[in-house]
Amino acid sequence: MMMKQLDILLVEDNESDAELVMHALKKNKINNNIIHVLDGAEALDYVFAKGNYAANTDRVHTLKVILLDIKMPKVGGLEVLSKLKADNRTKTIPIVMLTSSSEDQDVEKSYMLGANSYIVKPVDYGDFTDAIEQLEKYWLLRNRTIIT
Amino acid sequence: MESVIKIVHLEDTESDAELVQHTLRKSELMVELLVVEDKPSFINALKEFNPDIILSDHSLPSFNSHEALELYRELHMTVPFILITATITDEFASRIMKEGACDYILKDRMERLPNAIVSALEKYRAEREREKFMNEVIANESLMREAESLAKFGSWQINIPDNIIMWSPQIFRILGYEPYQVQPSLDTFIKVVYPDDIDKVKTSLYDAINNYDAVKTNFRINGIDGAIKYCHLEMVTQRNAQFKPTKIVGFIQDVTRVKLAENEIKLLNESLEKKIMERTTELMEANRDLEAFNFSISHDLNNPLQVINGFASIILRKHNDKLNEDAKDLLKQIKGYTKQMGQLIHDLLNFSHLGRQLLEVNEINMYELVTEVIRNLENRYRNVNTKFIIGEIDNAICDGGLIQQVWVNLISNAIKYSSKQDMPIIEIGSKKINEDMIYYVKDNGAGFSIEHADKLFKAFNRLHTAQEFEGSGVGLAIVHRIILKHGGRIWAEASVGNGATFYFTLPNKVETKIYLNQDKPFITSK
């Protein structure tokens, strides 16, 4: 029997950043399926199965958590956040803001828009992997969502 | 009468002279009597004797009372002249009175003389006083006119029943006329009032007549040269028992110079306010730019550091077996430096945040705050065995969050710089010196040379190398900024090898300050 895949959507425009996150996620050997999209527009397309992802219906129901960068070209993280939290189909998906910015106003805006968590990526990779590990264990294993 | 009355008596008949003498002696008057018989001695007496009163017989051989009175007038005598005569007709009496005599005495009624002298003297004295008073009045009046002219202030009055209007010369000048050039009237007045103000002036006059006893208003006058004069008008109404106005008296003052000066001040204030607004806007824009810049730094500088650090870590982990010790060491150094730079960016942002942060002031239990800070720091510096000696620490009125940062920075510095001692000791406490409560953190660590103390509180200035003690050089700058923001002072005492002591004060109450980029003023303590 195949273990059920736990989908993580990583929205990150920077390939290197994404690679670091994925490295850290894989290190913990939790059976997950990481989908990486490069900007906010693509993230919305993916979640709502539009554009390039029109064929993938019902992706929404397998997403266990979305890791969302704030500063991205075209559609920024805060806009993606507000659109997902405003839509009944997606508002219950946990969204973790994963960013390098520790600006208070970003933190505040994110929570106002309904973010479930806000993580400032530590510069030190050891701390970074610790943070990702905690995040992964919490949101993928500990936290209960309404995914059936 | 108390004083001696000097009398000149013109008389050539010895018996008559004696009669007068006798009468005066009998009276209570004290007199000095000089009897003269002819014209030359009479003139002499008037000039030299300086009499208070003149008595004169009517007819002398060479001289009569008319001539005597003529002389009296020529010499501008201002003393009473009393004629003494045997008989008198009404016609003669009225003639000599016209010629300047004050009174006459019939020889057979000589007993009347003392009283006549007293009343004549009294009459003349009263007259002189009246004259003196009148002279003063005239002098005062001219002073008043001068004052009016200087103060550009004119008075006027209207007698209501007969509608007679009187203006002082200055009123004419204020209204743009030469004194008495025109007949004072309401029309000549209204004619020069600035058109927009005519209704206002008329209403005031109407009020003065019908409604109020004192009315004031301001109005403008169309000057002859086209310039506008600003005037202040005040008036007081006198009324009879039926409340009917009988007289209105008032003044008009030309306040143009005052008004122009006021306008100038107003304009200056306005331009000043405008300048302040412009500067404020500029500063707010600069602040917004700074915020955008901070955001940029926060994200754009941190991000590459994470990647560099992350990749170096991955290489070290995944390809560890392929690396020699030198390569591993270099990669570790890369990691170390990126971490250091990350800390620096963090501190720098923290420092720039402070400038914009609002103070929230409460009474803070400093002892609790310090012990909590030490507990947290002891967790962080587990490998350092520092002994803390905590004395009394007085409460303070301050922003608890910011002052916590002060304690964290000062105490962690103390831990850091004393960490190489065999027995690191840190003393913390407060003491009152004069009016100030002084808080201090004293360590027995490396210390520093006091000649570099001026660099101590400046950002990025360090007194030790990163190899000796790590640090970004922002910690004390943050402390300095927080203390200054509270209106306190901070300073240090130290010498190389003998530890350092940092002192700071906080004022008892923090003054209200308004920070440009915040829309509410700073909160004062309860």
Side-chain angles (χ1 to χ4, degrees):
Chain A
M1 199 179 94
M2 275 264 292
M3 255 188 93
K4 195 175 176 186
Q5 291 257 309
L6 303 167
D7 286 354
I8 300 171
L9 176 63
L10 173 64
V11 189
E12 169 66 70
D13 65 311
N14 185 309
E15 298 269 12
S16 304
D17 281 328
E19 204 181 324
L20 286 178
V21 174
M22 289 195 283
H23 241 102
L25 285 170
K26 278 171 191 159
K27 193 177 150 252
N28 296 318
K29 311 220 165 35
I30 295 167
N31 186 16
N32 51 31
N33 177 34
I34 306 159
I35 304 115
H36 171 220
V37 294
L38 280 165
D39 60 63
E42 199 184 344
L44 291 171
D45 280 353
Y46 180 83
V47 174
F48 294 116
K50 288 189 296 190
N52 291 336
Y53 300 94
N56 305 345
T57 49
D58 282 349
R59 275 336 244 180
V60 175
H61 299 294
T62 61
L63 281 179
K64 192 95 200 245
V65 67
I66 296 172
L67 306 181
L68 185 57
D69 188 17
I70 287 187
K71 206 182 171 202
M72 292 184 294
K74 288 196 272 186
V75 183
L78 292 173
E79 195 181 336
V80 173
L81 173 66
S82 75
K83 287 205 164 127
L84 293 178
K85 287 297 179 185
D87 195 300
N88 276 332
R89 291 170 292 170
T90 53
K91 74 199 293 183
T92 59
I93 304 172
I95 297 179
V96 175
M97 307 309 287
L98 192 61
T99 173
S100 311
S101 165
S102 56
E103 279 289 294
D104 291 344
Q105 52 180 14
D106 286 346
V107 182
E108 196 182 326
K109 268 186 209 156
S110 297
Y111 281 117
M112 294 303 279
L113 290 170
N116 300 78
S117 182
Y118 191 105
I119 311 279
V120 179
K121 290 186 275 186
V123 169
D124 182 69
Y125 189 68
D127 297 341
F128 179 77
T129 50
D130 283 353
I132 296 293
E133 185 186 343
Q134 281 172 19
L135 185 158
E136 194 177 18
K137 280 184 176 158
Y138 180 80
W139 290 104
L140 295 183
L141 303 179
R142 180 72 63 195
N143 190 46
R144 266 206 63 182
T145 62
I146 50 176
I147 299 173
T148 49
Chain B
M1 211 167 259
E2 293 305 311
S3 54
V4 177
I5 304 164
K6 293 170 86 175
I7 302 173
V8 167
H9 186 199
L10 179 60
E11 179 62 75
D12 60 344
T13 314
E14 206 173 319
S15 61
D16 285 351
E18 271 170 11
L19 178 63
V20 167
Q21 248 174 354
H22 177 72
T23 309
L24 288 175
R25 211 176 291 131
K26 275 201 315 193
S27 77
E28 286 171 356
L29 296 175
M30 286 165 64
V31 300
E32 189 181 341
L33 187 66
L34 175 66
V35 180
V36 290
E37 298 181 328
D38 53 17
K39 189 175 173 179
S41 51
F42 180 63
I43 294 170
N44 214 29
L46 292 186
K47 284 180 177 171
E48 305 294 331
F49 183 65
N50 202 13
D52 295 314
I53 191 163
I54 299 157
L55 305 179
S56 169
D57 184 17
H58 170 52
S59 55
L60 296 104
S62 59
F63 198 40
N64 67 28
S65 56
H66 299 307
E67 289 169 291
L69 276 165
E70 201 181 323
L71 265 171
Y72 164 87
R73 287 196 305 273
E74 274 171 16
L75 290 170
H76 301 293
M77 298 303 291
T78 54
V79 295
F81 186 107
I82 296 175
L83 184 76
I84 298 171
T85 180
T87 54
I88 194 159
T89 61
D90 286 348
E91 195 192 3
F92 179 69
S94 96
R95 182 179 162 194
I96 60 130
M97 295 303 264
K98 262 182 206 158
E99 283 173 354
C102 169
D103 201 355
Y104 56 88
I105 302 287
L106 291 170
K107 283 183 181 166
D108 57 357
R109 301 283 303 278
M110 195 55 87
E111 69 276 10
R112 207 175 75 82
L113 182 65
N115 276 340
I117 288 173
V118 169
S119 62
L121 283 172
E122 182 55 30
K123 188 177 155 197
Y124 270 66
R125 194 189 59 78
E127 177 61 21
R128 269 198 307 276
E129 286 220 333
R130 198 187 65 84
E131 260 174 35
K132 196 176 150 208
F133 177 74
M134 282 310 290
N135 286 338
E136 271 173 17
V137 167
I138 290 162
N140 281 343
E141 179 125 338
S142 67
L143 260 179
M144 177 71 181
R145 295 273 178 258
E146 211 168 306
E148 280 193 356
S149 154
L150 280 173
K152 296 187 177 271
F153 172 100
S155 53
W156 54 268
Q157 64 177 60
I158 307 174
N159 288 321
I160 304 280
D162 44 13
N163 198 27
I164 288 174
I165 299 182
M166 281 175 279
W167 292 352
S168 75
Q170 193 59 27
I171 289 277
F172 289 90
R173 291 194 191 100
I174 289 171
L175 299 181
Y177 303 109
E178 285 300 311
Y180 310 109
Q181 178 194 352
V182 292
Q183 180 65 36
S185 78
L186 205 55
D187 285 344
T188 45
F189 169 50
I190 292 293
K191 210 161 75 186
V192 299
V193 174
Y194 189 76
D196 288 358
D197 294 347
I198 288 176
D199 281 350
K200 187 160 89 172
V201 170
K202 281 185 172 169
T203 306
S204 297
L205 280 169
Y206 180 87
D207 278 345
I209 294 166
N210 298 298
N211 299 327
Y212 305 111
D213 291 341
V215 176
K216 35 177 111 166
T217 189
N218 291 306
F219 67 97
R220 286 162 294 178
I221 283 174
N222 258 333
I224 323 160
D225 50 358
I228 284 171
K229 278 186 196 168
Y230 292 85
C231 294
H232 179 67
L233 165 68
E234 280 192 29
M235 47 199 158
V236 174
T237 310
Q238 296 171 8
R239 300 181 194 277
N240 63 18
Q242 288 75 45
F243 199 68
K244 286 260 184 287
T246 52
K247 194 192 220 178
I248 301 176
V249 293
F251 70 81
I252 295 174
Q253 189 171 18
D254 181 349
V255 293
T256 307
R257 278 172 61 189
V258 179
K259 198 80 191 174
L260 290 180
E262 273 175 8
N263 283 347
E264 199 171 328
I265 288 168
K266 215 169 130 191
L267 277 175
L268 281 173
N269 278 339
E270 274 167 11
S271 82
L272 196 63
E273 264 168 36
K274 206 174 145 227
K275 268 183 199 156
I276 290 171
M277 280 298 291
E278 281 169 8
R279 284 307 305 274
T280 308
T281 313
E282 277 172 27
L283 283 170
M284 285 171 86
E285 273 168 15
N287 256 319
R288 272 197 293 275
D289 289 350
L290 189 66
E291 261 169 72
F293 179 68
N294 286 344
F295 179 83
S296 224
I297 284 186
S298 177
H299 188 274
D300 297 351
L301 290 188
N302 259 328
N303 197 247
L305 289 176
Q306 284 158 7
V307 174
I308 295 167
N309 189 294
F311 285 175
S313 304
I314 291 168
I315 294 168
L316 273 168
R317 193 170 300 161
K318 276 180 77 175
H319 308 287
N320 196 280
D321 50 341
K322 290 169 209 148
L323 298 172
N324 61 27
E325 284 311 306
D326 188 37
K328 283 179 194 168
D329 183 55
L330 290 173
L331 281 168
K332 278 177 190 159
Q333 283 203 40
I334 290 174
K335 283 186 64 177
Y337 278 109
T338 51
K339 200 176 168 184
Q340 193 182 321
M341 188 164 168
Q343 186 61 42
L344 177 60
I345 292 166
H346 174 83
D347 289 350
L348 183 61
L349 279 173
N350 201 344
F351 181 61
S352 91
H353 260 305
L354 278 177
R356 297 176 280 136
Q357 200 167 330
L358 195 70
L359 286 190
E360 272 183 55
V361 178
N362 285 302
E363 181 165 3
I364 299 295
N365 185 327
M366 289 288 233
Y367 187 86
E368 274 181 18
L369 189 65
V370 166
T371 49
E372 191 193 318
V373 164
I374 289 172
R375 246 194 329 272
N376 290 335
L377 288 174
E378 277 176 331
N379 282 333
R380 200 196 294 173
Y381 295 92
R382 268 178 208 161
N383 51 343
V384 181
N385 190 26
T386 308
K387 187 187 176 196
F388 286 96
I389 301 169
I390 304 171
E392 266 185 43
I393 312 179
D394 214 60
N395 286 0
I397 294 161
C398 60
D399 184 311
L402 291 178
I403 294 301
Q404 179 173 17
Q405 172 116 52
V406 168
W407 286 118
V408 168
N409 289 11
L410 290 179
I411 297 169
S412 58
N413 270 357
I415 295 173
K416 191 160 72 183
Y417 292 111
S418 63
S419 61
K420 292 179 180 171
Q421 303 300 312
D422 293 335
M423 289 180 65
I425 297 169
I426 296 173
E427 291 172 51
I428 300 167
S430 73
K431 53 190 170 186
K432 192 166 181 146
I433 294 177
N434 299 330
E435 285 303 295
D436 288 326
M437 184 57 69
I438 297 173
Y439 301 89
Y440 63 90
V441 177
K442 179 176 163 56
D443 69 58
N444 63 344
F448 53 86
S449 167
I450 204 73
E451 64 182 294
H452 301 304
D454 57 325
K455 289 183 180 161
L456 210 53
F457 299 107
K458 289 181 183 158
F460 308 116
N461 277 305
R462 296 205 66 211
L463 303 184
H464 298 275
T465 62
Q467 278 73 38
E468 286 177 287
F469 297 100
E470 64 173 23
S472 62
V474 182
L476 283 177
I478 289 174
V479 167
H480 185 230
R481 193 172 262 200
I482 292 171
I483 298 298
L484 284 191
K485 220 175 152 91
H486 278 82
R489 289 178 296 125
I490 180 159
W491 68 98
E493 280 171 16
S495 64
V496 177
N498 290 316
T501 309
F502 284 84
Y503 302 92
F504 67 89
T505 65
L506 291 169
N508 289 330
K509 57 179 177 208
V510 185
E511 282 168 26
T512 300
K513 284 178 187 160
I514 296 166
Y515 294 99
L516 282 173
N517 58 335
Q518 272 122 24
D519 43 11
K520 55 180 175 180
F522 158 94
I523 306 145
T524 47
S525 59
K526 280 172 254 173

